[in-house]
Amino acid sequence: MQRYFIPENQWQLPNDRLIIKNDDYHHIVNVMRMQIDDEFICCDPSEQSYLVKIVEIVDSDKTIHGEIVKPLDEQNELPVNVTIAYGLPKGDKLDLVVQKGTELGMRELIPLKMDRSVVKWDEKKADKKIQRLQKIAKEAGEQSHRQTVPSIGSLQNLRSLLQDRTFDQIMVASEYEAKSLENKDNSFAHTIEHFNEGDDVLVIVGPEGGISEAELQLCQEEDVTPIRLGPRILRSETAPLYILSALSFYLEEWR
Amino acid sequence: MQRYFIPENQWQLPNDRLIIKNDDYHHIVNVMRMQIDDEFICCDPSEQSYLVKIVEIVDSDKTIHGEIVKPLDEQNELPVNVTIAYGLPKGDKLDLVVQKGTELGMRELIPLKMDRSVVKWDEKKADKKIQRLQKIAKEAGEQSHRQTVPSIGSLQNLRSLLQDRTFDQIMVASEYEAKSLENKDNSFAHTIEHFNEGDDVLVIVGPEGGISEAELQLCQEEDVTPIRLGPRILRSETAPLYILSALSFYLEEWR
């Protein structure tokens, strides 16, 4: 069933009503060709989802009036809030990570200016890129039955991220860990065991060239846990998908 | 360090020697611009890897004579042999699954003609596609430090696959399982607990449109285990990556 994420100010919850407009109006009316009494799912910003039916379509101001049929008992969100901070990669890898990360339960993506990022974003480009990524997240969120759309943060560097924000757990995907045969007592499994429901988890992933010495040093100073993602060397864009899949398996299928 | 997969007939193990030719010759001489005494890693078909140095470059017949410096003690292969059978998808999703699947430890990919596959391969197209996928697997295998290159099987249908081959465990990624809230006692975690080292594991993943009723029935008849990959709905190409990541996490990082 189709799913739409409706902003706060379009809900009139006391009356079980909501207004749908903009892109969602276009999609419902022109793409899906829905009519009065047709039903779909709407999620509110508190991540509650509802079965909604159309009561009126007002073409003149391009709005749909919807009525809540019933609240839905969905639990599709990962039990921890995962933020992926990803060093700006080349090509369309960021698109891939946003799309697949959304399917796999990511809460937020922060593009990082990192020492070995070849790609640079100027300010104008950054705004456009972030809008585009936000759109990919919205579409993937609808398709994968998320109850919320992951947010795309603004471009920053590792130091400011670690200084400005607080997380319950911070991990960095490290190629050194993957290569080390000695480190049998590795820390991804160990770290994950100590997660509590609702924890804010930050995962740092470097660009193609990896994480610089200075950045690794900063991670050490900030007590970031280096984690190994199996013994093979993953491309940068594969690392977030491995981590989210493993978290889903462990927290949603195993425990 | 660069890594090459060298066919059986190019090894002269009693003398600690090997011959390198074709694409690998080109890569070493023209791309890497290596010279006498330069070193790299070569893997033999038994998945043993060696540190090798160049002893002679013969430009006239485009071969390199290599000498084994020492065998390497690598363990980069998943402890179970995972075959992904994937219903022919649209676009370049098969490329993505082969590349990422190789990084994540997949042993074999079998393209499946499935009821809801929109894409068709004629015989001539199939050969070319498989060659292309085999090349993607080789390159990804080199980059991710695999000790063997995953093989790409020929196009077949689900019935013939299940009749012709024997596996220790067979699973099917099922959207019905993802949607079912009742099925708390799901079977991916349960199945994975019973894996033994060296097991041959088949994972069936449908194309975009999913698995048909007839195919699901066939899976049931053949005692294939339906598995849930978290509560969200994954795109078809994301499912194999989730499964391989979860297997790596559980078998290589957790146990």
Side-chain angles (χ1 to χ4, degrees), chain B residues 5 25 34 43 69 123 144 151 165 196 213 240 249:
Chain B
F5 297 99
Y25 166 90
M34 287 197 212
C43 300
V69 178
E123 235 168 87
S144 59
S151 63
R165 294 272 300 267
N196 296 308
E213 288 299 320
F249 175 72

Side-chain angles (χ1 to χ4, degrees), chain A residues 126-138:
Chain A
D127 281 353
K128 271 203 167 165
K129 292 260 187 195
I130 286 166
Q131 274 174 33
R132 179 186 148 75
L133 294 172
Q134 196 65 67
K135 197 168 170 222
I136 292 174
K138 182 170 181 282

Side-chain angles (χ1 to χ4, degrees), chain A residues 24 38 50 69 99 120 127 136 155 179 181 244 255:
Chain A
D24 297 332
D38 282 348
Y50 301 90
V69 179
Q99 186 192 66
K120 313 273 173 223
D127 281 353
I136 292 174
L155 185 65
K179 282 182 184 157
L181 273 174
L244 289 161
R255 279 218 282 210

Side-chain angles (χ1 to χ4, degrees), chain A residues 25-176:
Chain A
Y25 167 89
H26 169 73
H27 193 264
I28 290 168
V29 171
N30 301 325
V31 180
M32 300 304 296
R33 299 186 178 280
M34 288 196 210
Q35 315 208 327
I36 307 289
D37 285 340
D38 282 348
E39 296 182 337
F40 44 83
I41 293 168
C42 290
C43 300
D44 76 16
S46 77
E47 301 175 18
Q48 173 63 49
S49 52
Y50 301 90
L51 184 65
V52 164
K53 72 170 182 183
I54 301 177
V55 290
E56 194 183 354
I57 299 175
V58 187
D59 289 332
S60 57
D61 63 352
K62 302 210 168 183
T63 56
I64 294 164
H65 295 256
E67 189 179 81
I68 293 172
V69 179
K70 61 174 182 187
L72 297 173
D73 180 24
E74 290 186 323
Q75 285 180 318
N76 297 346
E77 294 298 318
L78 262 184
V80 295
N81 305 319
V82 182
T83 298
I84 305 281
Y86 181 21
L88 284 188
K90 288 191 259 184
D92 54 5
K93 296 190 188 105
L94 210 43
D95 296 12
L96 183 84
V97 168
V98 169
Q99 186 192 66
K100 301 281 160 257
T102 301
E103 293 170 54
L104 295 166
M106 172 181 83
R107 278 285 173 145
E108 180 185 23
L109 182 126
I110 297 174
L112 281 189
K113 246 187 285 198
M114 289 185 87
D115 293 344
R116 298 198 184 143
S117 287
V118 177
V119 172
K120 313 273 173 223
W121 285 2
D122 60 36
E123 235 169 86
K124 199 178 144 194
K125 202 163 149 186
D127 281 353
K128 271 203 167 165
K129 292 260 187 195
I130 286 166
Q131 274 174 33
R132 179 186 148 75
L133 294 172
Q134 196 65 67
K135 197 168 170 222
I136 292 174
K138 182 170 181 282
E139 286 170 4
E142 288 164 2
Q143 285 198 347
S144 58
H145 296 201
R146 293 289 300 267
Q147 289 161 252
T148 185
V149 182
S151 63
I152 312 294
S154 53
L155 185 65
Q156 53 188 291
N157 63 46
L158 189 57
R159 188 172 291 276
S160 68
L161 173 63
L162 293 174
Q163 277 170 355
D164 298 352
R165 293 271 300 267
T166 314
F167 294 90
D168 299 302
Q169 306 278 353
I170 309 184
M171 300 183 286
V172 56
S174 165
E175 198 174 306
Y176 299 104

Side-chain angles (χ1 to χ4, degrees), chain A residues 7-33:
Chain A
E8 183 94 56
N9 61 2
Q10 291 172 224
W11 291 87
Q12 300 161 337
L13 282 179
N15 311 325
D16 284 348
R17 288 295 194 107
L18 70 162
I19 300 282
I20 297 156
K21 45 192 190 178
N22 302 330
D23 286 358
D24 297 332
Y25 167 89
H26 169 73
H27 193 264
I28 290 168
V29 171
N30 301 325
V31 180
M32 300 304 296
R33 299 186 178 280

Side-chain angles (χ1 to χ4, degrees), chain B residues 1-192:
Chain B
M1 185 171 277
Q2 286 297 316
R3 170 177 300 252
Y4 302 94
F5 297 99
I6 309 297
E8 182 94 57
N9 61 2
Q10 292 172 224
W11 291 88
Q12 300 159 338
L13 282 179
N15 311 325
D16 284 347
R17 289 296 195 104
L18 69 162
I19 300 283
I20 297 153
K21 47 194 190 178
N22 302 331
D23 286 356
D24 297 332
Y25 166 90
H26 169 73
H27 193 264
I28 289 168
V29 171
N30 301 323
V31 180
M32 301 304 296
R33 297 188 179 277
M34 287 197 212
Q35 314 207 328
I36 305 291
D37 284 342
D38 281 349
E39 295 182 337
F40 44 83
I41 294 169
C42 290
C43 300
D44 76 17
S46 76
E47 300 175 20
Q48 173 62 49
S49 50
Y50 301 90
L51 183 65
V52 164
K53 72 171 182 182
I54 301 178
V55 291
E56 195 184 352
I57 299 175
V58 186
D59 288 333
S60 58
D61 63 352
K62 303 208 168 185
T63 56
I64 294 165
H65 295 256
E67 189 179 78
I68 294 172
V69 178
K70 60 174 181 186
L72 298 173
D73 180 24
E74 292 186 320
Q75 286 180 317
N76 298 348
E77 294 298 318
L78 263 185
V80 295
N81 306 318
V82 181
T83 297
I84 304 282
Y86 182 20
L88 282 189
K90 288 192 260 184
D92 54 6
K93 296 191 189 105
L94 210 41
D95 294 12
L96 183 85
V97 167
V98 169
Q99 187 193 67
K100 301 281 161 256
T102 300
E103 293 171 54
L104 295 167
M106 171 182 83
R107 279 287 173 142
E108 180 185 23
L109 181 126
I110 297 173
L112 281 190
K113 247 187 282 198
M114 289 185 86
D115 293 345
R116 297 197 184 143
S117 287
V118 177
V119 172
K120 312 272 172 221
W121 286 3
D122 60 37
E123 235 168 87
K124 199 177 146 194
K125 202 164 152 189
D127 281 353
K128 270 203 166 166
K129 293 260 187 195
I130 286 166
Q131 272 174 33
R132 180 186 148 75
L133 294 173
Q134 196 64 66
K135 197 170 168 219
I136 292 172
K138 181 170 181 284
E139 285 169 5
E142 288 165 0
Q143 285 196 348
S144 59
H145 296 200
R146 293 289 302 267
Q147 290 160 250
T148 185
V149 183
S151 63
I152 311 295
S154 53
L155 183 66
Q156 53 190 293
N157 63 44
L158 188 58
R159 187 173 291 276
S160 68
L161 173 63
L162 293 174
Q163 278 171 354
D164 298 351
R165 294 272 300 267
T166 314
F167 295 91
D168 298 301
Q169 305 278 354
I170 310 185
M171 301 183 286
V172 57
S174 165
E175 198 175 306
Y176 298 103
E177 295 296 316
K179 283 182 185 158
S180 123
L181 273 176
E182 296 87 57
N183 191 2
K184 287 280 180 203
D185 176 29
N186 91 87
S187 42
F188 187 28
H190 185 72
T191 307
I192 217 174

